[in-house]
Every structure is written in C-alpha cells, then in structure tokens.
Amino acid sequence: QVQLVESGGGLVQAGGSLRLSCAASGRPFSSYAMGWFRQAPGKEREFVASIRWSGGSRYYKDSVKGRFTISRDNAKNTVYLQMNSLKPEDTAVYYCNANRGSDDYWGQGTQVTVSS
C-alpha cells in the first residue's frame, strides 16, 4: 500500500503563491502516476493536475494552466504543486493522489485559502 501526506497549504492573498508537497511511502514511488485534486465547500472533488511516472507528460485543469505547475522528485518520493497568481476561487482542500492501474490512493488533504 501507499501512504500519502500533503503539506504546504495555508492562507495567502490573491496574486500570491504557495507550493504544496505530497510525501509518499510504502511502495516504489516512481511506478505511480501522481495527481492533485481539490474540493471546495459544497462542491465535488475536481481534478487539478497530474504527472505520469516518467515525469514527461503533465495535464492541468484549464483554469489553472499557466499558473500551476506539477512536478515530482522520485528520489525523494515527493510530488509538488507550485501555485502562482492564486485567486480566491482556488480556495479548497487539496488532495494528493497516487494511481497505478487498479491501485488508487489518497492523502488526507491540505487547506488552501486565498483572500481577496
């Protein structure tokens, strides 16, 4: 099994930046595709960004393209989400996800709050 722990969330003003980290343990990190999802109050969890095991293919939700960057450091078993030019609508709990075929794991989430 894989355990995921997110960190780096907090309160930031609009236009500011945060970098989220997700530390993985339990299985070889490099064999999993990694992603970030978020869930705002009263809304469904939605996809934000993902990166394949090779690190060469990245995908983003349209509204965060050009502002967010997902990356991974397999040697450190860690995936990152660099968030720039944050907007109040980015406010949500952000969750880390690890996926490999039928294996699917989630972290506990970290709160990101963007003030106007």
Side-chain angles (χ1 to χ4, degrees), residues 6-26:
E6 302 97 331
S7 63
L11 174 65
V12 65
Q13 63 182 340
S17 299
L18 286 173
R19 188 177 76 159
L20 306 184
S21 297
C22 174
S25 63

Side-chain angles (χ1 to χ4, degrees), residues 54-72:
S54 69
S57 297
R58 304 175 184 182
Y59 302 91
Y60 298 93
K61 174 181 172 64
D62 286 344
S63 64
V64 309
K65 289 180 179 178
R67 299 190 297 120
F68 291 10
T69 301
I70 187 171
S71 62
R72 66 190 298 165

Side-chain angles (χ1 to χ4, degrees), residues 40-51:
K43 297 184 178 180
E44 296 294 321
R45 188 173 299 184
E46 65 179 3
F47 167 81
V48 177
S50 65
I51 185 168

